Coordinates of all heavy atoms in Angstrom, one line a residue:
S1 N 0.8 -1.2 0.0 CA 0.0 0.0 0.0 C 0.9 1.2 0.0 O 2.1 1.2 0.3 CB -0.9 0.0 1.2 OG -0.2 0.1 2.4
G2 N 0.3 2.4 -0.3 CA 1.0 3.6 -0.3 C 2.2 3.6 -1.3 O 2.1 3.1 -2.4
L3 N 3.3 4.3 -0.9 CA 4.4 4.4 -1.8 C 5.0 3.0 -2.2 O 5.5 2.9 -3.3 CB 5.5 5.3 -1.1 CG 6.8 5.5 -1.9 CD1 6.5 6.2 -3.2 CD2 7.8 6.3 -1.0
E4 N 5.0 2.1 -1.2 CA 5.6 0.8 -1.5 C 4.9 0.1 -2.7 O 5.5 -0.8 -3.4 CB 5.5 -0.1 -0.3 CG 6.5 0.2 0.7 CD 6.6 -0.9 1.8 OE1 5.6 -1.7 1.9 OE2 7.6 -0.9 2.5
S5 N 3.6 0.4 -3.0 CA 2.9 -0.2 -4.1 C 3.6 0.1 -5.4 O 3.3 -0.6 -6.4 CB 1.5 0.2 -4.1 OG 1.3 1.5 -4.3
A6 N 4.4 1.1 -5.5 CA 5.1 1.5 -6.7 C 6.2 0.6 -7.0 O 6.6 0.4 -8.2 CB 5.6 2.9 -6.6
Y7 N 6.8 -0.1 -6.0 CA 8.0 -0.9 -6.3 C 7.9 -2.3 -5.6 O 8.8 -3.1 -5.8 CB 9.3 -0.3 -5.8 CG 9.3 0.1 -4.3 CD1 9.8 -0.8 -3.4 CD2 8.9 1.3 -3.9 CE1 9.9 -0.5 -2.1 CE2 8.9 1.6 -2.5 CZ 9.4 0.7 -1.6 OH 9.5 1.0 -0.3
R8 N 6.8 -2.7 -5.0 CA 6.6 -4.0 -4.5 C 5.3 -4.6 -5.0 O 4.3 -4.0 -5.1 CB 6.5 -4.0 -2.9 CG 7.8 -3.7 -2.3 CD 7.7 -3.9 -0.8 NE 8.8 -3.3 0.0 CZ 9.9 -3.9 0.3 NH1 10.1 -5.2 0.0 NH2 10.8 -3.3 1.0
N9 N 5.4 -5.9 -5.3 CA 4.2 -6.6 -5.8 C 3.3 -6.9 -4.6 O 3.8 -7.2 -3.5 CB 4.5 -7.9 -6.5 CG 5.3 -7.6 -7.8 OD1 4.9 -6.7 -8.6 ND2 6.3 -8.4 -8.0
K10 N 2.0 -6.9 -4.8 CA 1.0 -7.4 -3.8 C 1.3 -8.9 -3.6 O 1.4 -9.6 -4.5 CB -0.4 -7.1 -4.2 CG -0.7 -5.6 -4.2 CD -2.2 -5.3 -4.4 CE -3.1 -6.2 -5.1 NZ -4.4 -5.7 -5.4
I11 N 1.3 -9.3 -2.3 CA 1.6 -10.6 -2.0 C 0.5 -11.6 -2.5 O 0.9 -12.7 -2.9 CB 1.8 -10.8 -0.4 CG1 2.5 -12.2 -0.1 CG2 0.5 -10.7 0.3 CD1 3.9 -12.3 -0.7
S12 N -0.7 -11.1 -2.6 CA -1.7 -12.0 -3.2 C -1.5 -12.2 -4.6 O -1.8 -13.3 -5.2 CB -3.1 -11.4 -2.9 OG -3.2 -10.1 -3.5
D13 N -0.9 -11.2 -5.3 CA -0.6 -11.4 -6.8 C 0.6 -12.4 -6.9 O 0.6 -13.2 -7.9 CB -0.3 -10.1 -7.4 CG -1.4 -9.1 -7.5 OD1 -2.6 -9.6 -7.4 OD2 -1.2 -7.9 -7.7
V14 N 1.5 -12.3 -6.0 CA 2.7 -13.2 -6.1 C 2.2 -14.6 -5.9 O 2.6 -15.5 -6.6 CB 3.8 -12.8 -5.1 CG1 4.9 -13.8 -5.0 CG2 4.3 -11.4 -5.4
A15 N 1.4 -14.8 -4.9 CA 0.9 -16.1 -4.6 C 0.1 -16.7 -5.8 O 0.3 -17.9 -6.1 CB 0.0 -16.1 -3.3
A16 N -0.8 -15.9 -6.4 CA -1.6 -16.3 -7.5 C -0.7 -16.7 -8.7 O -0.9 -17.7 -9.4 CB -2.6 -15.3 -7.9
F17 N 0.4 -15.9 -8.9 CA 1.3 -16.2 -10.0 C 2.0 -17.6 -9.7 O 2.1 -18.4 -10.7 CB 2.4 -15.1 -10.1 CG 3.5 -15.4 -11.1 CD1 3.3 -15.2 -12.4 CD2 4.7 -15.9 -10.6 CE1 4.3 -15.5 -13.3 CE2 5.7 -16.2 -11.5 CZ 5.5 -16.0 -12.8
L18 N 2.5 -17.8 -8.5 CA 3.2 -19.0 -8.2 C 2.3 -20.2 -8.4 O 2.7 -21.3 -8.9 CB 3.8 -19.0 -6.8 CG 5.0 -18.0 -6.6 CD1 5.4 -17.9 -5.2 CD2 6.2 -18.5 -7.5
E19 N 1.1 -20.1 -7.9 CA 0.1 -21.2 -8.1 C -0.2 -21.5 -9.5 O -0.2 -22.6 -9.9 CB -1.2 -20.9 -7.3 CG -1.1 -20.9 -5.8 CD -0.8 -22.3 -5.3 OE1 -1.2 -23.3 -5.9 OE2 -0.1 -22.4 -4.3
T20 N -0.3 -20.4 -10.3 CA -0.6 -20.6 -11.8 C 0.5 -21.2 -12.5 O 0.4 -22.1 -13.3 CB -1.0 -19.2 -12.4 OG1 -2.2 -18.7 -11.7 CG2 -1.3 -19.4 -13.9
M21 N 1.7 -20.7 -12.2 CA 2.9 -21.1 -13.0 C 3.6 -22.4 -12.5 O 4.2 -23.1 -13.3 CB 3.9 -20.0 -13.0 CG 3.4 -18.7 -13.7 SD 2.8 -18.9 -15.4 CE 4.3 -19.3 -16.2
H22 N 3.4 -22.7 -11.2 CA 4.1 -23.8 -10.6 C 3.3 -24.8 -9.9 O 3.8 -25.8 -9.4 CB 5.2 -23.3 -9.7 CG 6.2 -22.4 -10.3 ND1 7.1 -22.9 -11.2 CD2 6.3 -21.0 -10.3 CE1 7.8 -21.8 -11.7 NE2 7.4 -20.7 -11.2
G23 N 2.0 -24.6 -9.9 CA 1.0 -25.6 -9.5 C 1.3 -26.3 -8.1 O 1.2 -27.5 -8.0
G24 N 1.7 -25.5 -7.1 CA 2.0 -26.0 -5.8 C 3.4 -26.6 -5.6 O 3.6 -27.2 -4.6
R25 N 4.2 -26.5 -6.6 CA 5.6 -27.1 -6.5 C 6.6 -26.0 -6.4 O 7.4 -25.7 -7.3 CB 5.9 -28.0 -7.7 CG 5.0 -29.2 -7.8 CD 5.4 -30.1 -9.0 NE 5.6 -29.3 -10.2 CZ 4.6 -29.0 -11.1 NH1 3.4 -29.4 -10.9 NH2 4.9 -28.3 -12.2
Y26 N 6.5 -25.3 -5.3 CA 7.4 -24.2 -5.0 C 7.6 -23.9 -3.5 O 6.8 -24.4 -2.7 CB 6.9 -22.9 -5.7 CG 5.6 -22.4 -5.1 CD1 5.5 -21.6 -4.0 CD2 4.4 -22.8 -5.7 CE1 4.3 -21.2 -3.5 CE2 3.2 -22.4 -5.2 CZ 3.2 -21.6 -4.1 OH 2.0 -21.2 -3.6
R27 N 8.6 -23.2 -3.2 CA 8.8 -22.8 -1.8 C 9.2 -21.3 -1.8 O 10.0 -20.9 -2.6 CB 9.8 -23.6 -1.1 CG 10.1 -23.2 0.4 CD 10.9 -24.2 1.1 NE 10.0 -25.4 1.3 CZ 10.5 -26.6 1.6 NH1 11.8 -26.7 1.8 NH2 9.7 -27.6 1.8
V28 N 8.6 -20.5 -0.9 CA 9.0 -19.1 -0.8 C 9.9 -18.9 0.4 O 9.6 -19.4 1.5 CB 7.7 -18.3 -0.6 CG1 8.0 -16.8 -0.3 CG2 6.8 -18.4 -1.8
Y29 N 11.1 -18.4 0.1 CA 12.0 -18.1 1.2 C 11.9 -16.6 1.5 O 12.4 -15.7 0.7 CB 13.4 -18.4 0.8 CG 13.6 -19.9 0.7 CD1 13.4 -20.6 -0.5 CD2 13.9 -20.7 1.8 CE1 13.5 -21.9 -0.7 CE2 14.0 -22.1 1.7 CZ 13.8 -22.7 0.4 OH 13.9 -24.1 0.3
N30 N 11.2 -16.2 2.5 CA 10.9 -14.8 2.8 C 12.0 -14.2 3.6 O 12.3 -14.6 4.7 CB 9.6 -14.7 3.6 CG 9.3 -13.3 4.0 OD1 9.8 -12.4 3.4 ND2 8.3 -13.1 4.9
V31 N 12.7 -13.3 2.9 CA 13.9 -12.6 3.5 C 13.6 -11.2 3.7 O 14.5 -10.4 4.0 CB 15.2 -12.8 2.7 CG1 15.5 -14.3 2.5 CG2 15.0 -12.2 1.3
S32 N 12.3 -10.8 3.6 CA 11.9 -9.4 3.7 C 11.8 -8.8 5.1 O 11.8 -7.6 5.3 CB 10.6 -9.2 3.0 OG 9.5 -9.7 3.8
G33 N 11.7 -9.7 6.1 CA 11.5 -9.2 7.5 C 10.0 -9.0 7.8 O 9.7 -8.6 8.9
R34 N 9.2 -9.1 6.8 CA 7.7 -9.0 6.9 C 7.1 -10.4 7.0 O 7.6 -11.3 6.2 CB 7.1 -8.3 5.8 CG 7.5 -6.9 5.7 CD 7.2 -6.3 4.3 NE 7.7 -5.0 4.2 CZ 6.9 -4.0 3.8 NH1 5.7 -4.2 3.5 NH2 7.4 -2.8 3.8
L35 N 6.1 -10.6 7.8 CA 5.5 -11.9 7.8 C 4.5 -12.1 6.7 O 3.7 -11.2 6.5 CB 4.9 -12.2 9.2 CG 5.8 -12.2 10.3 CD1 5.1 -12.4 11.7 CD2 6.9 -13.3 10.2
Y36 N 4.5 -13.2 6.0 CA 3.5 -13.5 5.0 C 2.5 -14.5 5.6 O 2.9 -15.4 6.4 CB 4.1 -14.2 3.8 CG 5.1 -13.3 3.0 CD1 6.0 -13.9 2.1 CD2 5.1 -12.0 3.1 CE1 6.9 -13.2 1.4 CE2 6.0 -11.2 2.3 CZ 6.9 -11.8 1.5 OH 7.8 -11.1 0.7
D37 N 1.3 -14.4 5.2 CA 0.3 -15.3 5.6 C 0.5 -16.6 4.7 O 0.2 -16.6 3.5 CB -1.1 -14.8 5.3 CG -2.2 -15.7 5.7 OD1 -2.0 -16.8 6.2 OD2 -3.4 -15.3 5.5
P38 N 0.9 -17.7 5.4 CA 1.2 -18.9 4.6 C 0.0 -19.5 3.9 O 0.1 -20.2 3.0 CB 1.8 -19.9 5.6 CG 1.6 -19.3 7.0 CD 1.2 -17.8 6.8
A39 N -1.2 -19.1 4.4 CA -2.5 -19.6 3.8 C -2.6 -19.1 2.3 O -3.3 -19.7 1.5 CB -3.7 -19.2 4.6
L40 N -1.9 -18.0 2.0 CA -2.0 -17.5 0.6 C -1.3 -18.4 -0.3 O -1.7 -18.5 -1.5 CB -1.3 -16.1 0.5 CG -2.0 -14.9 1.2 CD1 -1.1 -13.7 1.2 CD2 -3.3 -14.6 0.5
F41 N -0.3 -19.2 0.1 CA 0.5 -20.0 -0.7 C 0.0 -21.5 -0.5 O 0.6 -22.3 0.1 CB 1.9 -19.9 -0.3 CG 2.5 -18.5 -0.5 CD1 2.5 -17.6 0.5 CD2 2.9 -18.1 -1.8 CE1 2.9 -16.3 0.4 CE2 3.3 -16.8 -1.9 CZ 3.3 -15.9 -0.9
R42 N -1.2 -21.8 -1.0 CA -1.9 -23.0 -0.8 C -1.1 -24.2 -1.2 O -1.0 -25.2 -0.4 CB -3.2 -23.0 -1.6 CG -4.2 -22.1 -0.9 CD -5.5 -22.0 -1.7 NE -5.4 -20.8 -2.6 CZ -5.5 -20.8 -3.9 NH1 -5.8 -21.9 -4.5 NH2 -5.3 -19.7 -4.5
G43 N -0.4 -24.2 -2.3 CA 0.3 -25.4 -2.8 C 1.7 -25.5 -2.4 O 2.3 -26.5 -2.5
G44 N 2.3 -24.3 -2.0 CA 3.7 -24.3 -1.7 C 3.8 -24.1 -0.2 O 3.0 -24.4 0.6
S45 N 5.0 -23.6 0.2 CA 5.2 -23.4 1.6 C 6.1 -22.1 1.7 O 6.7 -21.7 0.8 CB 5.9 -24.5 2.2 OG 7.2 -24.8 1.6
V46 N 6.1 -21.5 2.9 CA 6.8 -20.3 3.2 C 7.8 -20.6 4.3 O 7.4 -21.1 5.3 CB 5.8 -19.2 3.6 CG1 6.6 -17.9 4.0 CG2 4.8 -18.9 2.5
V47 N 9.0 -20.2 4.1 CA 10.0 -20.3 5.1 C 10.4 -18.9 5.5 O 10.9 -18.1 4.6 CB 11.3 -21.1 4.6 CG1 12.4 -21.1 5.7 CG2 10.9 -22.5 4.2
E48 N 10.2 -18.5 6.7 CA 10.5 -17.1 7.2 C 12.0 -17.0 7.6 O 12.4 -17.7 8.5 CB 9.6 -16.8 8.4 CG 8.2 -16.8 8.1 CD 7.7 -15.6 7.2 OE1 8.5 -14.6 7.0 OE2 6.6 -15.7 6.7
M49 N 12.7 -16.2 6.9 CA 14.2 -16.0 7.1 C 14.5 -14.6 7.2 O 15.7 -14.2 7.0 CB 15.0 -16.6 6.0 CG 14.8 -18.1 5.8 SD 15.5 -19.1 7.1 CE 17.2 -18.6 7.1
G50 N 13.6 -13.7 7.5 CA 13.8 -12.3 7.4 C 14.9 -11.7 8.2 O 15.3 -12.1 9.3
W51 N 15.4 -10.6 7.7 CA 16.4 -9.7 8.4 C 16.0 -8.3 8.0 O 15.2 -8.1 7.0 CB 17.8 -10.1 8.1 CG 18.2 -10.2 6.6 CD1 18.4 -9.1 5.8 CD2 18.3 -11.3 5.9 NE1 18.7 -9.6 4.5 CE2 18.6 -11.0 4.5 CE3 18.1 -12.7 6.1 CZ2 18.8 -11.9 3.5 CZ3 18.3 -13.6 5.1 CH2 18.6 -13.2 3.8
P52 N 16.5 -7.3 8.6 CA 16.1 -5.9 8.3 C 16.3 -5.5 6.8 O 17.4 -5.9 6.3 CB 16.9 -5.0 9.2 CG 17.3 -6.0 10.4 CD 17.4 -7.3 9.8
D53 N 15.3 -4.9 6.2 CA 15.4 -4.5 4.9 C 16.7 -3.6 4.6 O 17.1 -2.8 5.5 CB 14.2 -3.7 4.5 CG 13.9 -3.7 3.0 OD1 14.5 -4.5 2.3 OD2 12.9 -3.0 2.6
H54 N 17.3 -3.7 3.5 CA 18.5 -3.0 3.1 C 19.7 -3.3 3.9 O 20.6 -2.4 4.0 CB 18.2 -1.5 3.1 CG 17.0 -1.1 2.2 ND1 17.1 -1.2 0.9 CD2 15.8 -0.7 2.5 CE1 15.9 -0.8 0.4 NE2 15.1 -0.5 1.4
H55 N 19.7 -4.4 4.6 CA 20.9 -4.9 5.4 C 21.3 -6.2 4.9 O 20.5 -7.0 4.4 CB 20.6 -4.9 6.9 CG 20.4 -3.6 7.5 ND1 19.2 -2.9 7.4 CD2 21.2 -2.9 8.2 CE1 19.3 -1.8 8.1 NE2 20.5 -1.7 8.6
A56 N 22.6 -6.5 5.0 CA 23.1 -7.9 4.7 C 22.7 -8.8 5.9 O 22.6 -8.4 7.0 CB 24.6 -7.8 4.6
P57 N 22.4 -10.1 5.5 CA 22.0 -11.0 6.6 C 23.2 -11.4 7.4 O 24.4 -11.4 6.9 CB 21.5 -12.2 5.8 CG 22.3 -12.2 4.5 CD 22.4 -10.7 4.2
P58 N 23.0 -11.7 8.7 CA 24.1 -12.3 9.5 C 24.6 -13.6 8.8 O 23.8 -14.3 8.2 CB 23.4 -12.6 10.8 CG 22.2 -11.8 10.9 CD 21.8 -11.6 9.4
L59 N 25.8 -13.9 8.8 CA 26.4 -15.0 8.2 C 25.7 -16.3 8.6 O 25.5 -17.2 7.7 CB 27.9 -15.1 8.4 CG 28.7 -16.2 7.7 CD1 28.5 -16.0 6.2 CD2 30.2 -16.1 8.0
R60 N 25.4 -16.5 9.8 CA 24.8 -17.7 10.3 C 23.4 -17.9 9.6 O 23.0 -19.0 9.2 CB 24.6 -17.7 11.8 CG 23.9 -18.9 12.4 CD 23.9 -18.9 13.9 NE 25.3 -18.8 14.4 CZ 25.7 -18.3 15.5 NH1 24.7 -17.8 16.3 NH2 26.9 -18.3 15.9
V61 N 22.6 -16.8 9.5 CA 21.3 -16.8 8.8 C 21.5 -17.2 7.3 O 20.8 -18.0 6.8 CB 20.6 -15.5 9.0 CG1 19.3 -15.5 8.2 CG2 20.3 -15.3 10.5
L62 N 22.5 -16.6 6.7 CA 22.7 -16.8 5.3 C 23.1 -18.3 5.1 O 22.6 -18.9 4.1 CB 23.9 -15.9 4.8 CG 24.2 -16.1 3.3 CD1 23.0 -15.8 2.4 CD2 25.3 -15.1 2.9
M63 N 24.0 -18.8 5.9 CA 24.3 -20.3 5.8 C 23.1 -21.2 6.0 O 23.0 -22.2 5.3 CB 25.4 -20.6 6.8 CG 26.8 -19.9 6.4 SD 27.4 -20.3 4.8 CE 27.6 -22.1 4.9
T64 N 22.3 -20.8 7.0 CA 21.1 -21.6 7.2 C 20.2 -21.6 6.0 O 19.6 -22.6 5.5 CB 20.3 -21.1 8.4 OG1 21.1 -21.2 9.6 CG2 19.0 -21.9 8.6
L65 N 20.0 -20.4 5.4 CA 19.2 -20.2 4.2 C 19.7 -21.1 3.0 O 19.0 -21.8 2.4 CB 19.1 -18.8 3.8 CG 18.4 -18.4 2.5 CD1 16.9 -18.9 2.6 CD2 18.5 -17.0 2.2
I66 N 21.0 -21.1 2.8 CA 21.7 -21.9 1.8 C 21.4 -23.4 2.0 O 21.1 -24.1 1.1 CB 23.2 -21.5 1.7 CG1 23.4 -20.1 1.1 CG2 23.9 -22.6 0.8 CD1 24.8 -19.6 1.3
E67 N 21.6 -23.8 3.2 CA 21.3 -25.2 3.5 C 19.9 -25.6 3.3 O 19.6 -26.7 2.8 CB 21.7 -25.5 5.0 CG 23.2 -25.5 5.2 CD 23.6 -25.5 6.7 OE1 22.7 -25.7 7.6 OE2 24.8 -25.4 7.0
L68 N 18.9 -24.8 3.7 CA 17.5 -25.0 3.5 C 17.2 -25.1 2.0 O 16.5 -26.0 1.5 CB 16.6 -24.0 4.1 CG 16.6 -24.0 5.6 CD1 15.9 -22.7 6.2 CD2 15.9 -25.3 6.1
I69 N 17.7 -24.2 1.2 CA 17.5 -24.2 -0.3 C 18.1 -25.5 -0.9 O 17.5 -26.2 -1.7 CB 18.0 -23.0 -0.9 CG1 17.2 -21.7 -0.5 CG2 18.0 -23.1 -2.4 CD1 17.8 -20.4 -0.9
D70 N 19.3 -25.8 -0.5 CA 20.0 -27.0 -1.0 C 19.2 -28.3 -0.7 O 19.0 -29.1 -1.6 CB 21.4 -27.1 -0.4 CG 22.2 -28.3 -1.0 OD1 22.3 -28.3 -2.2 OD2 22.6 -29.2 -0.2
R71 N 18.7 -28.4 0.6 CA 17.9 -29.6 0.9 C 16.6 -29.6 0.1 O 16.1 -30.7 -0.3 CB 17.5 -29.6 2.4 CG 18.6 -30.2 3.2 CD 18.2 -30.4 4.7 NE 18.8 -29.2 5.4 CZ 18.4 -28.8 6.5 NH1 17.3 -29.3 7.1 NH2 19.0 -27.8 7.1
Y72 N 16.0 -28.5 -0.1 CA 14.7 -28.4 -0.9 C 14.9 -28.9 -2.3 O 14.2 -29.6 -2.9 CB 14.1 -27.0 -0.9 CG 12.8 -27.0 -1.7 CD1 11.6 -27.5 -1.2 CD2 12.8 -26.3 -2.9 CE1 10.5 -27.5 -1.9 CE2 11.6 -26.2 -3.6 CZ 10.5 -26.8 -3.2 OH 9.3 -26.8 -3.9
L73 N 16.0 -28.4 -2.9 CA 16.3 -28.7 -4.3 C 16.7 -30.2 -4.4 O 16.4 -30.8 -5.4 CB 17.4 -27.8 -4.9 CG 17.0 -26.4 -5.0 CD1 18.2 -25.5 -5.4 CD2 15.9 -26.2 -6.0

């Protein structure tokens, strides 16, 4: 909403796109620091890994994210 709507997609649009294009075979790694309603992503799943916007992640968090992605793939 507001100014952010100029540069961020609505989460409901993102969820609809993923469902349409990937039919429930996807995972969302949320690094935004905002919580997503996992119910929007009916066929996929959401992993919350957020850190403050415009900051680099702590190395431990980055390594965990890489391991999670590797296991998923």
